């Protein structure tokens, strides 16, 4: 059974860093585009970043460019999201999602992904 499991969330002060992990089980990541989304209370789920199956192509939302970095280790079946210079506005539940395509044009659309993890909470507060 295909599963995605996020980890690495927590409470961090503004300006701090966290690294989220998305571990896959039941399938190999090699052929999948993986994305990170987030959802804050009362807001819609939004795309944060995506990475193509090869890792060559990465995309970022404007709000996180220069602060977040997505990467993947297909041998470990894991995708990472390094988050630096965190702000209170980054507080949300973070989800990873998978699409069995090497690359996706509209990576920020939730409808593009058929597989989702259950999320990990990130709270940025002093």
């Amino acid at each position: 059974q295909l599963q995605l499991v996020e980890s690495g969330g927590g409470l961090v002060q503004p300006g701090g860093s966290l690294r989220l992990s998305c571990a896959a089980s039941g399938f190999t990541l090699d052929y999948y585009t993986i994305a990170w989304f987030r959802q804050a209370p009362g807001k819609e789920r939004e795309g944060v970043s995506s990475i193509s199956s090869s890792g060559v192509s990465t995309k970022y939302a404007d709000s996180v460019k220069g602060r977040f970095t997505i990467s993947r280790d297909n041998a470990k079946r894991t995708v990472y999201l390094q988050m630096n210079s965190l702000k209170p506005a980054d507080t949300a539940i973070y989800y990873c999602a998978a699409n069995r395509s090497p690359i996706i044009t509209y990576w920020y659309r939730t409808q593009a992904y058929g597989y989702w993890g259950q999320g990990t909470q990130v709270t940025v507060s002093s």
Side-chain angles (χ1 to χ4, degrees):
Q1 183 177 357
L2 191 154
Q3 282 190 318
L4 297 169
V5 179
E6 302 94 337
S7 62
L11 173 64
V12 63
Q13 292 187 341
S17 298
L18 283 174
R19 188 176 80 156
L20 305 184
S21 298
C22 172
S25 64
F27 69 107
T28 177
L29 273 182
D30 298 38
Y31 308 109
Y32 288 76
T33 291
I34 304 296
W36 286 95
F37 286 77
R38 66 186 181 187
Q39 188 165 19
K43 295 188 176 181
E44 292 187 353
R45 194 169 296 190
E46 63 172 354
V48 174
S49 181
S50 75
I51 187 165
S52 62
S53 60
S54 67
V56 171
S57 176
T58 58
K59 305 290 184 183
Y60 297 93
D62 288 344
S63 59
V64 307
K65 278 181 183 176
R67 300 189 298 122
F68 291 11
T69 302
I70 192 170
S71 62
R72 65 192 296 158
D73 185 335
N74 286 347
K76 294 183 178 180
R77 299 186 180 184
T78 303
V79 173
Y80 305 97
L81 185 68
Q82 178 66 44
M83 306 187 296
N84 299 327
S85 301
L86 283 161
K87 306 174 181 179
D90 295 318
T91 296
I93 300 175
Y94 283 70
Y95 302 89
C96 63
N99 179 302
R100 203 187 185 285
S101 297
I103 192 168
I104 301 174
T105 300
Y106 300 105
W107 65 271
Y108 47 86
R109 293 183 178 174
T110 58
Q111 302 93 321
Y113 300 88
Y115 306 101
W116 291 83
Q118 294 194 333
T120 184
Q121 176 71 47
V122 171
T123 303
V124 184
S125 175
S126 55

